[in-house]
Amino acid sequence: MKRTFVYILGFFLASASLFSQSKFDQFLKPSDTLNISLRNTVVVTEAALATTTLIGLNQLWYADYPRSNFKTLNDSGEWLQMDKMGHVFSSYQLGRLGANTLHWAGVSKKDQLLYGSTLGFGFLTAVEIMDGFSEEWGFSWSDMAANATGTGLHVGQELLWEEQRIVLKYSFHRTQYAKQRPNKLGSGLAEEFLKDYNGQTYWLSANINSFLKTESIPIWLNLAFGYGAEGMLTGDAYDPLFLNQNRTRQYYLSLDIDLTRIKTNSRFLKTVFDVFNVIKVPFPTLELNGNGRVKWHYIYF
């Protein structure tokens, strides 16, 4: 998953730039009715970005490894499932992007869900098929299940509540493990941000006010539940080259801010908030690890 994460983020930000580069709030305002011109622009732009990304992924990554007949593999136990969380996150966020851009073009709610929310699942399925024809990897059914989970989280909330009360978010902090295997876990902040599973945390950020319906709590305040892991130098816990790994799961409880619920009349700011709402806002955090130990973080990234 880490080899595609950079493309996922680039795809998301590049598509979002369709809006954020404009200086006119009127341009950013969602259409009340179907705007065929805007819809076509969205479809063509996203199709071009997806195609370019897949071509780039093929040339920059898969071309360095031999091809093979299509095969599958079972990697469900690797990296304490942190790579699967990356699939869930990417599928959810790309689906959110797809639905939001179609909403901007005035596309019906039904078509937003059918053709927008499934953007992440479709794109990641294409990547998974490419994996299947690579000698180095293989088609992973557990990856596909994670992709479906991310898409389902977005679609399910829209069908149930017609809003995203629970948002999937990401945070990162640097760890000591990348220095021990920089070729695998990244060399430097930019690479480690994408490759070092030990420093990644995935969050379910739930908007409190959406559930409690009270004016005593700010509308933008969220309660966040996080999952992370550390002590991993390789995906396999029984790798003979790394027998002394102290692999530990971590569970977190924290507060967060849903940037999309901050009230502003500026369409540009709303767009900026929407783009950066993929990142968990640092807050004091309570951690419970797999060994039963509790730890308090005054501020956690």
Side-chain angles (χ1 to χ4, degrees):
M1 180 57 203
K2 62 181 79 171
R3 67 184 176 280
T4 63
F5 198 6
V6 62
Y7 293 100
I8 297 298
L9 292 177
F11 188 96
F12 187 91
L13 295 175
S15 294
S17 69
L18 178 66
F19 309 118
S20 61
Q21 290 177 359
S22 172
K23 296 181 179 179
F24 304 100
D25 273 10
Q26 187 60 36
F27 175 76
L28 298 173
K29 182 180 179 181
S31 178
D32 295 330
T33 58
L34 175 61
N35 186 315
I36 296 178
S37 177
L38 288 182
R39 182 201 62 188
N40 292 345
T41 298
V42 168
V43 172
V44 170
T45 299
E46 291 183 349
L49 284 170
T51 301
T52 301
T53 300
L54 291 173
I55 292 174
L57 185 61
N58 180 67
Q59 295 299 316
L60 297 175
W61 189 267
Y62 292 101
D64 293 335
Y65 301 94
R67 304 290 185 180
S68 71
N69 293 328
F70 186 83
K71 66 180 188 299
T72 63
L73 84 165
N74 181 8
D75 61 349
S76 59
E78 293 188 358
W79 300 106
L80 294 179
Q81 292 76 52
M82 286 299 293
D83 59 327
K84 305 309 174 209
M85 292 302 300
H87 277 267
V88 175
F89 172 83
S90 298
S91 180
Y92 173 85
Q93 290 297 348
L94 282 175
R96 186 174 71 90
L97 169 66
N100 286 352
T101 51
L102 289 179
H103 170 69
W104 172 71
V107 174
S108 69
K109 189 70 173 183
K110 177 182 177 181
D111 286 347
Q112 289 175 38
L113 296 180
L114 284 175
Y115 306 112
S117 296
T118 57
L119 174 65
F121 185 80
F123 177 81
L124 292 174
T125 296
V127 174
E128 204 62 45
I129 292 173
M130 294 170 73
D131 275 356
F133 287 102
S134 174
E135 184 67 36
E136 186 74 8
W137 299 280
F139 182 94
S140 169
W141 283 110
S142 56
D143 283 355
M144 290 297 295
N147 298 339
T149 299
T151 298
L153 179 63
H154 186 275
V155 174
Q157 291 188 82
E158 291 297 328
L159 293 176
L160 183 61
W161 299 312
E162 296 187 348
E163 64 174 349
Q164 295 298 298
R165 295 186 180 185
I166 302 173
V167 181
L168 258 176
K169 292 194 176 188
Y170 174 86
S171 68
F172 176 80
H173 61 272
R174 302 188 76 176
T175 74
Q176 60 178 318
Y177 303 102
K179 294 181 180 179
Q180 299 177 51
R181 289 203 73 191
N183 61 322
K184 189 71 173 179
L185 301 177
S187 177
L189 178 60
E191 288 189 5
E192 293 169 27
F193 181 82
L194 300 170
K195 293 183 175 183
D196 186 6
Y197 289 128
N198 299 280
Q200 298 177 5
T201 306
Y202 292 95
W203 301 86
L204 285 173
S205 182
N207 184 255
I208 300 173
N209 201 278
S210 292
F211 290 99
L212 299 184
K213 304 298 183 181
T214 174
E215 296 182 357
S216 61
I217 298 175
I219 193 173
W220 41 259
L221 186 63
N222 283 20
L223 186 64
F225 305 89
Y227 174 70
E230 68 174 14
M232 302 176 293
L233 295 175
T234 180
D236 185 1
Y238 304 103
D239 191 322
L241 298 178
F242 302 93
L243 293 177
N244 296 321
Q245 299 180 75
N246 183 22
R247 300 156 69 90
T248 308
R249 299 180 189 274
Q250 299 160 317
Y251 307 93
Y252 300 95
L253 178 64
S254 183
L255 295 175
D256 185 34
I257 296 175
D258 187 337
L259 300 177
T260 65
R261 295 178 185 268
I262 296 176
K263 293 184 178 181
T264 174
N265 293 324
S266 170
R267 294 286 176 182
F268 176 77
L269 283 179
K270 286 183 179 180
T271 302
V272 171
F273 289 157
D274 187 68
V275 170
F276 285 97
N277 206 45
V278 302
I279 303 297
K280 159 76 167 62
V281 177
F283 264 101
T285 299
L286 185 67
E287 172 191 339
L288 172 65
N289 66 31
N291 298 322
R293 296 181 178 179
V294 177
K295 183 177 181 180
W296 174 256
H297 301 269
Y298 289 102
I299 195 75
Y300 182 84
F301 292 86

